[in-house]
C-alpha cells in the first residue's frame, strides 16, 4: 500500500500533497491522522520547513519498524531556492539529524519551493521572521545564503513559488 503524508501549517505543502494525490490516485493524509505507518510499503512524506526542521517528519517516519522493503520518499517545502546547493545541503543535514540513520539512508529526498503570506502568520512565526529579517539585514551581500536572501526578498509580503511540474520526478519514481 502507498500513502502520501503531509505536514503543513499554512497550506502550501498540503497543496503539493493534494496535487500529487490527484495525479496518482494515492490517498493523502495529514501526519497527525496517520494511525499505523507500518502498514504502508511506499511512503511519500511532504513536509514544510520550519527553522530547518521538516514539520511532523521525525515523529512520523521514526515509527517505521522494518525499513528494509520500504520505499521512502521525502519532499521538503520551503521558501529558499532549491536550485542553490548550499541550501539543499543544509536541508539534507537537517533531515539526517531528525531521522534514524537507517531510515535516512533508505529515503530519496526532493526539494520543493512553497510560499509565504505574512498577513496570515501567527504571532510566534511573525516574531521569528522579524528576528530573522533583522539578523539577515546585518549581513554583507557575500555572507547571505539562499535562505537569508529569501527572508530579505519576501519579508512582509505574500509570495507563491509553488510549481506542480516539480512533482514530475516524484511521479516517475513511484510509477
Ligand atoms: C517561522 C518560519 C520559519 C521558516 N523556516 C524556513 C527554513 O528554515 N527554510 C526554508 O526554506 N523556509 C522556511 N520557512 C518558510 C516555509 O517553509 C514556507 O513558507 C512553506 O511554504 C510553509 O509551508 P506550509 O504553508 O505548508 O506551512 C519558514 C517560515 C516561517 C514562518
Amino acid at each position: 500500500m502507498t500513502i502520501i503524508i503531509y505536514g503543513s501549517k499554512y497550506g502550501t505543502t498540503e497543496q503539493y500533497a493534494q496535487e500529487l494525490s490527484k495525479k496518482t490516485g494515492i490517498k493523502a493524509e495529514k501526519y497527525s491522522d496517520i494511525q499505523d505507518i507500518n502498514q504502508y510499503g511506499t511512503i511519500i512524506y511532504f513536509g514544510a520547513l520550519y527553522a530547518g526542521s521538516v514539520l511532523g517528519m521525525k515523529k512520523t517516519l521514526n515509527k517505521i519498524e522494518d525499513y528494509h522493503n520500504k520505499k521512502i520518499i521525502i519532499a521538503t517545502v520551503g521558501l529558499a531556492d532549491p536550485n542553490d546547493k548550499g541550501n539543499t545541503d543544509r536541508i539534507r543535514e537537517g533531515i539526517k539529524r531528525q531521522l534514524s540513520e537507517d531510515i535516512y539512508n533508505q529515503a530519496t529526498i526532493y526539494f520543493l519551493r512553497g510560499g509565504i503570506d505574512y498577513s496570515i502568520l501567527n504571532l510566534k512565526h511573525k516574531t521569528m521572521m522579524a528576528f530573522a529579517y533583522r539578523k539577515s539585514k546585518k549581513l554583507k551581500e557575500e555572507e547571505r545564503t539562499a535562505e537569508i536572501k529569501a527572508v530579505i526578498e519576501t519579508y512582509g509580503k505574500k509570495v507563491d513559488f509553488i510549481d506542480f511540474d516539480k512533482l514530475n520526478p516524484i511521479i516517475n519514481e513511484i510509477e
Side-chain angles (χ1 to χ4, degrees):
M1 242 192 332
T2 303
I3 185 89
I4 296 167
I5 307 174
Y6 59 88
S8 179
K9 169 89 184 158
Y10 298 105
T12 57
T13 307
E14 182 177 354
Q15 282 185 55
Y16 276 114
Q18 297 294 3
E19 180 68 15
L20 185 67
S21 174
K22 207 171 89 189
K23 284 186 169 141
T24 59
I26 302 164
K27 192 169 167 198
E29 281 202 79
K30 215 187 283 173
Y31 77 92
S32 47
D33 289 342
I34 296 296
Q35 302 289 341
D36 176 20
I37 187 93
N38 288 297
Q39 63 181 302
Y40 305 108
T42 298
I43 298 158
I44 306 144
Y45 194 93
F46 285 86
L49 288 168
Y50 284 95
S53 287
V54 184
L55 189 64
M57 180 190 70
K58 187 176 169 180
K59 67 172 76 151
T60 307
L61 297 187
N62 281 339
K63 286 197 187 115
I64 296 172
E65 281 158 10
D66 184 7
Y67 58 89
H68 285 98
N69 296 315
K70 292 205 193 297
K71 192 178 189 72
I72 303 169
I73 296 170
I74 297 168
T76 63
V77 179
L79 200 57
D81 187 356
N83 291 315
D84 182 286
K85 183 151 185 311
N87 177 31
T88 53
D89 284 350
R90 274 185 293 276
I91 297 172
R92 225 177 251 287
E93 281 307 307
I95 292 174
K96 204 171 177 177
R97 278 196 303 272
Q98 290 154 55
L99 294 179
S100 76
E101 197 181 342
D102 292 333
I103 294 173
Y104 174 81
N105 288 335
Q106 188 78 0
T108 314
I109 304 174
Y110 292 89
F111 309 95
L112 304 169
R113 211 166 182 197
I116 199 163
D117 178 356
Y118 275 78
S119 70
I120 60 167
L121 291 187
N122 66 26
L123 185 62
K124 180 180 144 201
H125 285 162
K126 258 189 197 142
T127 310
M128 283 169 76
M129 295 314 283
F131 184 73
Y133 178 70
R134 277 202 300 275
K135 232 172 92 184
S136 302
K137 287 288 275 185
K138 286 185 189 142
L139 295 174
K140 294 192 195 83
E141 187 64 40
E142 62 272 19
E143 292 171 330
R144 292 177 183 171
T145 61
E147 295 99 312
I148 302 277
K149 282 183 189 145
V151 169
I152 294 174
E153 282 160 14
T154 64
Y155 187 66
K157 298 182 186 144
K158 177 180 169 147
V159 288
D160 181 352
F161 300 113
I162 293 173
D163 179 1
F164 289 145
D165 287 346
K166 295 286 189 294
L167 291 170
N168 291 338
I170 301 178
I171 294 170
N172 289 339
E173 186 168 339
I174 53 185
E175 271 168 5

